[in-house]
Amino acid sequence: MAEISFGGLATGLPTEDIVSSLMAIERRPLDRLEADKEYEKLRLQAYGQFNERLNNLRSAVGKLNLTSEVRTTSVRLSSEETISASSNGAKTGSYDISVAQLAQVQKTVTDGLSSDTDSLLGSGSFTLGSETITVDSSNNSLQGLMESINAISEDTGVSASIINDGNATDNYHLVLTGKDAATSFTVSHDLVDGNGDPLFATSQIRSAQQSVAYVDGLEVVGNSNTLTGVISGVTINLNQLSASTGDPAVYETTTLNVEADTDKLKEKISEFVSSYNEIMNWI
Protein backbone atom coordinates (compact mmCIF):
# COMPACT_ATOMS: atom_id res chain seq x y z
CA MET A 1 0.00 0.00 0.00
CA ALA A 2 1.33 3.49 -0.83
CA GLU A 3 2.41 5.68 2.10
CA ILE A 4 -0.21 8.26 3.10
CA SER A 5 0.97 11.73 4.24
CA PHE A 6 -0.93 14.88 5.14
CA GLY A 7 0.52 18.30 4.33
CA GLY A 8 -0.33 21.48 6.11
CA LEU A 9 -3.22 22.09 3.80
CA ALA A 10 -4.94 18.89 4.96
CA THR A 11 -4.04 19.08 8.66
CA GLY A 12 -4.27 22.79 9.12
CA LEU A 13 -0.71 22.86 10.61
CA PRO A 14 2.33 24.76 9.18
CA THR A 15 4.29 21.53 8.68
CA GLU A 16 7.23 23.02 6.79
CA ASP A 17 7.75 25.74 9.40
CA ILE A 18 7.61 23.19 12.18
CA VAL A 19 10.16 20.95 10.46
CA SER A 20 12.47 23.92 9.73
CA SER A 21 12.27 25.04 13.35
CA LEU A 22 13.00 21.54 14.62
CA MET A 23 15.99 21.30 12.29
CA ALA A 24 17.24 24.70 13.46
CA ILE A 25 16.97 23.50 17.06
CA GLU A 26 18.91 20.36 16.18
CA ARG A 27 21.63 22.47 14.50
CA ARG A 28 22.23 24.64 17.57
CA PRO A 29 24.96 22.38 19.05
CA LEU A 30 26.66 22.28 15.66
CA ASP A 31 26.43 26.05 15.35
CA ARG A 32 27.92 26.39 18.81
CA LEU A 33 30.78 24.08 17.78
CA GLU A 34 31.38 26.13 14.64
CA ALA A 35 31.44 29.30 16.71
CA ASP A 36 33.80 27.71 19.23
CA LYS A 37 36.02 26.55 16.38
CA GLU A 38 36.26 30.06 14.96
CA TYR A 39 36.87 31.46 18.45
CA GLU A 40 39.71 29.00 19.12
CA LYS A 41 41.17 29.77 15.71
CA LEU A 42 41.24 33.47 16.57
CA ARG A 43 42.76 32.68 19.97
CA LEU A 44 45.56 30.70 18.33
CA GLN A 45 46.22 33.56 15.94
CA ALA A 46 46.27 36.00 18.84
CA TYR A 47 48.67 33.85 20.85
CA GLY A 48 50.92 33.62 17.79
CA GLN A 49 50.95 37.39 17.41
CA PHE A 50 51.58 37.85 21.12
CA ASN A 51 54.40 35.30 21.08
CA GLU A 52 56.06 37.06 18.13
CA ARG A 53 55.98 40.38 19.97
CA LEU A 54 57.33 38.79 23.15
CA ASN A 55 60.20 37.26 21.19
CA ASN A 56 61.02 40.67 19.72
CA LEU A 57 61.03 42.15 23.23
CA ARG A 58 63.17 39.32 24.57
CA SER A 59 65.69 39.88 21.76
CA ALA A 60 65.79 43.62 22.50
CA VAL A 61 66.29 42.97 26.23
CA GLY A 62 69.06 40.47 25.47
CA LYS A 63 70.95 43.17 23.59
CA LEU A 64 70.97 45.29 26.73
CA ASN A 65 73.29 42.86 28.53
CA LEU A 66 75.40 45.27 30.57
CA THR A 67 78.51 43.10 30.36
CA SER A 68 78.69 42.92 26.57
CA GLU A 69 76.54 44.40 23.88
CA VAL A 70 75.45 47.60 25.63
CA ARG A 71 79.10 48.55 26.08
CA THR A 72 79.69 48.71 22.35
CA THR A 73 82.83 50.45 21.17
CA SER A 74 84.05 51.58 17.79
CA VAL A 75 87.47 52.33 16.31
CA ARG A 76 88.59 55.73 15.05
CA LEU A 77 91.92 56.03 13.18
CA SER A 78 94.02 59.14 12.64
CA SER A 79 94.78 57.76 9.15
CA GLU A 80 93.52 54.80 7.13
CA GLU A 81 96.52 54.53 4.80
CA THR A 82 98.52 51.88 6.63
CA ILE A 83 95.98 50.04 8.79
CA SER A 84 92.26 49.42 9.23
CA ALA A 85 90.65 48.06 12.38
CA SER A 86 87.39 47.02 14.02
CA SER A 87 86.23 46.53 17.60
CA ASN A 88 84.33 43.61 19.11
CA GLY A 89 83.67 44.62 22.70
CA ALA A 90 87.10 46.20 23.18
CA LYS A 91 87.65 48.55 26.11
CA THR A 92 88.22 52.21 25.40
CA GLY A 93 91.83 53.29 24.93
CA SER A 94 94.33 54.87 22.55
CA TYR A 95 97.28 53.19 20.80
CA ASP A 96 100.04 54.25 18.39
CA ILE A 97 100.66 51.69 15.63
CA SER A 98 103.20 51.45 12.81
CA VAL A 99 103.80 48.79 10.14
CA ALA A 100 107.42 47.77 9.53
CA GLN A 101 106.89 44.63 7.42
CA LEU A 102 103.97 42.95 5.68
CA ALA A 103 103.50 39.19 5.81
CA GLN A 104 103.87 37.17 2.63
CA VAL A 105 103.95 33.47 1.76
CA GLN A 106 106.68 31.68 -0.18
CA LYS A 107 106.04 31.06 -3.87
CA THR A 108 108.20 28.82 -6.03
CA VAL A 109 107.60 28.41 -9.79
CA THR A 110 108.90 25.82 -12.25
CA ASP A 111 110.13 26.47 -15.78
CA GLY A 112 107.48 26.15 -18.46
CA LEU A 113 106.38 22.90 -20.10
CA SER A 114 104.55 22.50 -23.38
CA SER A 115 101.54 20.70 -21.88
CA ASP A 116 99.91 20.28 -18.48
CA THR A 117 98.22 16.96 -19.37
CA ASP A 118 100.78 15.05 -21.44
CA SER A 119 103.05 12.54 -19.71
CA LEU A 120 106.20 14.65 -19.99
CA LEU A 121 107.72 13.99 -16.57
CA GLY A 122 108.85 10.39 -17.13
CA SER A 123 109.70 8.75 -13.81
CA GLY A 124 111.69 9.70 -10.76
CA SER A 125 111.00 11.65 -7.57
CA PHE A 126 109.90 15.13 -6.56
CA THR A 127 110.81 16.29 -3.05
CA LEU A 128 109.19 19.01 -0.93
CA GLY A 129 111.11 19.47 2.29
CA SER A 130 111.16 16.05 3.94
CA GLU A 131 108.34 14.59 1.81
CA THR A 132 109.14 12.77 -1.44
CA ILE A 133 106.63 12.06 -4.20
CA THR A 134 107.25 9.16 -6.54
CA VAL A 135 106.63 10.12 -10.18
CA ASP A 136 105.49 7.30 -12.46
CA SER A 137 102.91 6.58 -15.13
CA SER A 138 100.08 7.42 -12.73
CA ASN A 139 101.08 11.05 -12.19
CA ASN A 140 103.81 12.01 -14.68
CA SER A 141 101.95 14.99 -16.16
CA LEU A 142 101.99 18.46 -14.67
CA GLN A 143 98.35 17.98 -13.63
CA GLY A 144 99.18 14.62 -12.06
CA LEU A 145 102.11 16.07 -10.11
CA MET A 146 99.95 18.96 -8.91
CA GLU A 147 97.32 16.55 -7.58
CA SER A 148 100.01 14.47 -5.82
CA ILE A 149 101.42 17.59 -4.15
CA ASN A 150 97.99 18.74 -3.00
CA ALA A 151 97.22 15.28 -1.63
CA ILE A 152 99.96 15.73 1.01
CA SER A 153 99.58 19.49 1.54
CA GLU A 154 98.44 18.94 5.14
CA ASP A 155 101.85 17.38 5.86
CA THR A 156 104.04 19.75 3.83
CA GLY A 157 102.13 23.02 4.23
CA VAL A 158 102.53 23.52 0.47
CA SER A 159 99.80 23.63 -2.19
CA ALA A 160 100.22 23.54 -5.97
CA SER A 161 98.50 25.17 -8.93
CA ILE A 162 99.19 25.58 -12.65
CA ILE A 163 99.52 28.88 -14.52
CA ASN A 164 99.39 29.31 -18.29
CA ASP A 165 101.53 32.33 -19.16
CA GLY A 166 99.98 32.64 -22.64
CA ASN A 167 103.13 32.04 -24.65
CA ALA A 168 103.04 29.81 -27.71
CA THR A 169 105.42 27.21 -26.21
CA ASP A 170 106.48 26.06 -22.75
CA ASN A 171 103.64 28.04 -21.24
CA TYR A 172 102.55 25.78 -18.36
CA HIS A 173 104.17 26.43 -14.97
CA LEU A 174 103.70 24.63 -11.67
CA VAL A 175 103.31 27.16 -8.82
CA LEU A 176 104.03 26.05 -5.24
CA THR A 177 102.63 28.19 -2.39
CA GLY A 178 103.25 27.97 1.36
CA LYS A 179 100.17 27.97 3.60
CA ASP A 180 101.27 30.97 5.70
CA ALA A 181 104.09 33.39 6.39
CA ALA A 182 105.83 30.95 8.73
CA THR A 183 106.08 28.18 6.10
CA SER A 184 109.35 27.91 4.19
CA PHE A 185 110.14 24.93 1.98
CA THR A 186 112.79 23.55 -0.37
CA VAL A 187 112.17 21.86 -3.71
CA SER A 188 114.27 19.27 -5.56
CA HIS A 189 113.69 16.57 -8.18
CA ASP A 190 115.58 14.10 -10.41
CA LEU A 191 113.22 14.27 -13.41
CA VAL A 192 115.07 14.39 -16.73
CA ASP A 193 114.18 14.73 -20.39
CA GLY A 194 115.09 12.35 -23.22
CA ASN A 195 118.65 13.71 -23.30
CA GLY A 196 119.17 13.13 -19.60
CA ASP A 197 119.04 16.86 -18.79
CA PRO A 198 116.93 18.18 -15.88
CA LEU A 199 113.35 18.53 -17.11
CA PHE A 200 112.80 21.90 -15.47
CA ALA A 201 114.33 24.21 -12.91
CA THR A 202 112.49 25.89 -10.03
CA SER A 203 112.75 29.52 -8.98
CA GLN A 204 111.71 31.00 -5.67
CA ILE A 205 110.00 34.22 -6.71
CA ARG A 206 108.92 35.22 -3.22
CA SER A 207 110.20 34.21 0.19
CA ALA A 208 108.11 33.71 3.29
CA GLN A 209 108.18 36.49 5.84
CA GLN A 210 106.08 37.36 8.86
CA SER A 211 104.43 40.69 9.47
CA VAL A 212 106.08 43.12 11.88
CA ALA A 213 104.18 45.95 13.53
CA TYR A 214 104.80 48.16 16.53
CA VAL A 215 102.03 48.86 19.03
CA ASP A 216 103.01 51.61 21.47
CA GLY A 217 106.63 50.79 20.66
CA LEU A 218 106.32 47.04 21.28
CA GLU A 219 107.23 44.76 18.35
CA VAL A 220 104.41 42.44 17.28
CA VAL A 221 105.08 39.56 14.85
CA GLY A 222 102.33 37.69 12.97
CA ASN A 223 101.84 34.98 10.35
CA SER A 224 99.38 37.11 8.39
CA ASN A 225 98.51 40.75 7.86
CA THR A 226 95.53 40.44 10.21
CA LEU A 227 96.39 40.79 13.89
CA THR A 228 93.96 39.59 16.57
CA GLY A 229 94.52 39.45 20.31
CA VAL A 230 97.24 42.11 20.30
CA ILE A 231 94.68 44.57 21.69
CA SER A 232 91.87 42.62 23.34
CA GLY A 233 88.71 42.84 21.25
CA VAL A 234 90.38 44.67 18.35
CA THR A 235 91.18 43.26 14.89
CA ILE A 236 93.93 45.13 13.07
CA ASN A 237 94.52 44.77 9.32
CA LEU A 238 97.97 45.77 8.05
CA ASN A 239 97.53 47.34 4.62
CA GLN A 240 100.88 48.91 3.73
CA LEU A 241 104.23 49.90 5.25
CA SER A 242 104.41 53.01 7.37
CA ALA A 243 106.66 55.81 6.15
CA SER A 244 110.05 55.81 7.87
CA THR A 245 113.14 57.93 8.30
CA GLY A 246 116.68 57.33 9.55
CA ASP A 247 118.82 54.27 10.12
CA PRO A 248 117.73 52.42 12.15
CA ALA A 249 114.31 53.26 10.75
CA VAL A 250 111.85 55.30 12.75
CA TYR A 251 108.31 54.65 11.55
CA GLU A 252 105.43 57.06 11.46
CA THR A 253 102.54 55.95 13.64
CA THR A 254 98.79 55.83 13.20
CA THR A 255 96.73 56.54 16.30
CA LEU A 256 93.99 54.00 16.98
CA ASN A 257 91.28 55.19 19.38
CA VAL A 258 88.74 52.78 20.83
CA GLU A 259 85.72 54.87 21.82
CA ALA A 260 82.29 54.22 23.31
CA ASP A 261 79.78 53.81 20.50
CA THR A 262 76.82 55.82 21.82
CA ASP A 263 74.95 55.51 18.53
CA LYS A 264 74.80 51.73 18.92
CA LEU A 265 73.60 52.14 22.53
CA LYS A 266 70.86 54.55 21.44
CA GLU A 267 69.83 52.10 18.74
CA LYS A 268 69.53 49.22 21.21
CA ILE A 269 67.53 51.26 23.73
CA SER A 270 65.26 52.53 20.98
CA GLU A 271 64.67 48.96 19.81
CA PHE A 272 63.74 47.92 23.36
CA VAL A 273 61.30 50.83 23.78
CA SER A 274 59.67 50.13 20.41
CA SER A 275 59.24 46.42 21.20
CA TYR A 276 57.76 47.19 24.63
CA ASN A 277 55.34 49.79 23.25
CA GLU A 278 54.28 47.44 20.47
CA ILE A 279 53.26 44.81 23.04
CA MET A 280 51.35 47.31 25.19
CA ASN A 281 49.54 48.73 22.17
CA TRP A 282 48.65 45.25 20.96
CA ILE A 283 47.27 44.27 24.40
Side-chain angles (χ1 to χ4, degrees), residues 91-154:
K91 294 182 178 180
T92 57
S94 181
Y95 309 89
D96 291 325
I97 301 174
S98 58
V99 182
Q101 180 171 286
L102 294 176
Q104 63 183 29
V105 297
Q106 178 180 336
K107 280 188 177 289
T108 297
V109 179
T110 68
D111 290 343
L113 293 177
S114 59
S115 172
D116 62 336
T117 56
D118 292 346
S119 301
L120 303 176
L121 307 185
S123 61
S125 60
F126 188 92
T127 302
L128 280 173
S130 60
E131 298 289 333
T132 297
I133 296 170
T134 299
V135 178
D136 54 29
S137 59
S138 66
N139 64 348
N140 61 358
S141 67
L142 212 55
Q143 286 276 3
L145 180 57
M146 177 189 71
E147 292 171 2
S148 296
I149 293 171
N150 289 333
I152 60 171
S153 61
E154 290 295 324

Side-chain angles (χ1 to χ4, degrees), residues 33-214:
L33 288 175
E34 290 290 343
D36 290 344
K37 177 182 177 182
E38 185 64 22
Y39 172 70
E40 294 298 335
K41 178 181 177 181
L42 292 174
R43 286 187 66 190
L44 286 174
Q45 291 176 349
Y47 278 125
Q49 294 170 1
F50 190 44
N51 185 61
E52 181 182 353
R53 286 163 173 77
L54 285 176
N55 284 333
N56 292 338
L57 179 61
R58 180 169 59 185
S59 175
V61 171
K63 293 177 182 178
L64 294 177
N65 186 333
L66 291 177
T67 61
S68 59
E69 295 201 22
V70 168
R71 297 178 179 176
T72 304
T73 54
S74 60
V75 170
R76 180 171 58 85
L77 299 171
S78 62
S79 170
E80 297 184 356
E81 291 184 2
T82 58
I83 65 171
S84 57
S86 60
S87 170
N88 183 19
K91 294 182 178 180
T92 57
S94 181
Y95 309 89
D96 291 325
I97 301 174
S98 58
V99 182
Q101 180 171 286
L102 294 176
Q104 63 183 29
V105 297
Q106 178 180 336
K107 280 188 177 289
T108 297
V109 179
T110 68
D111 290 343
L113 293 177
S114 59
S115 172
D116 62 336
T117 56
D118 292 346
S119 301
L120 303 176
L121 307 185
S123 61
S125 60
F126 188 92
T127 302
L128 280 173
S130 60
E131 298 289 333
T132 297
I133 296 170
T134 299
V135 178
D136 54 29
S137 59
S138 66
N139 64 348
N140 61 358
S141 67
L142 212 55
Q143 286 276 3
L145 180 57
M146 177 189 71
E147 292 171 2
S148 296
I149 293 171
N150 289 333
I152 60 171
S153 61
E154 290 295 324
D155 299 322
T156 62
V158 180
S159 60
S161 60
I162 294 174
I163 288 180
N164 182 346
D165 64 20
N167 289 321
T169 59
D170 297 337
N171 49 317
Y172 292 98
H173 303 262
L174 188 68
V175 181
L176 306 173
T177 305
K179 68 176 180 179
D180 57 34
T183 302
S184 297
F185 56 91
T186 58
V187 180
S188 62
H189 69 86
D190 58 8
L191 305 174
V192 296
D193 60 19
N195 298 322
D197 298 323
L199 192 61
F200 54 75
T202 59
S203 303
Q204 182 176 307
I205 59 173
R206 193 169 71 188
S207 60
Q209 67 177 28
Q210 294 177 300
S211 62
V212 179
Y214 291 91

Side-chain angles (χ1 to χ4, degrees), residues 1-5:
M1 179 181 291
E3 182 178 352
I4 300 175
S5 62

Side-chain angles (χ1 to χ4, degrees), residues 12-13 21 23 25 35 42 76 124 149 170 197 214 217 229 248 252 254 270:
L13 297 174
S21 297
M23 292 181 65
I25 292 172
L42 292 174
R76 180 171 58 85
I149 293 171
D170 297 337
D197 298 323
Y214 291 91
E252 292 183 5
T254 297
S270 177

